Amino acid sequence: MLLPKYPDSPTPPPAHTPTVADQVPARRPVPQISVSTGAVAAVLVGGVVLTALLAAVAVTAVSVAVAAVVLRSLLRDQHRR
């Protein structure tokens, strides 16, 4: 019968040999980003405005829900009479 031939060395050769490209690439200098105070102020004002709008929508939704529950209760009491 045919028998497989096993290698003489007990450990297999490495599947991947490290090359020069595998080393850590040289770091490039990070470009300087300048942020003006006007841009920071605009972002802060925009955030405050959007937060206020979100709060107004939430308050409106809660008040509409409470009004709907009160009206439903009043109408149910009226239909029972």
Side-chain angles (χ1 to χ4, degrees):
M1 285 192 121
L2 298 174
L3 294 174
K5 290 187 178 183
Y6 295 107
D8 292 336
S9 64
T11 59
H16 177 72
T17 56
T19 61
V20 177
D22 289 339
Q23 295 175 358
V24 178
R27 294 190 61 162
R28 294 184 218 160
V30 179
Q32 295 294 326
I33 299 174
S34 62
V35 180
S36 65
T37 55
V40 172
V43 168
L44 288 176
V45 168
V48 168
V49 168
L50 288 176
T51 304
L53 287 174
L54 183 63
V57 168
V59 168
T60 304
V62 169
S63 65
V64 167
V66 168
V69 168
V70 169
L71 284 175
R72 188 175 74 174
S73 173
L74 290 174
L75 290 175
R76 189 177 355 160
D77 287 344
Q78 188 179 14
H79 284 292
R80 285 185 183 175
R81 289 181 188 180

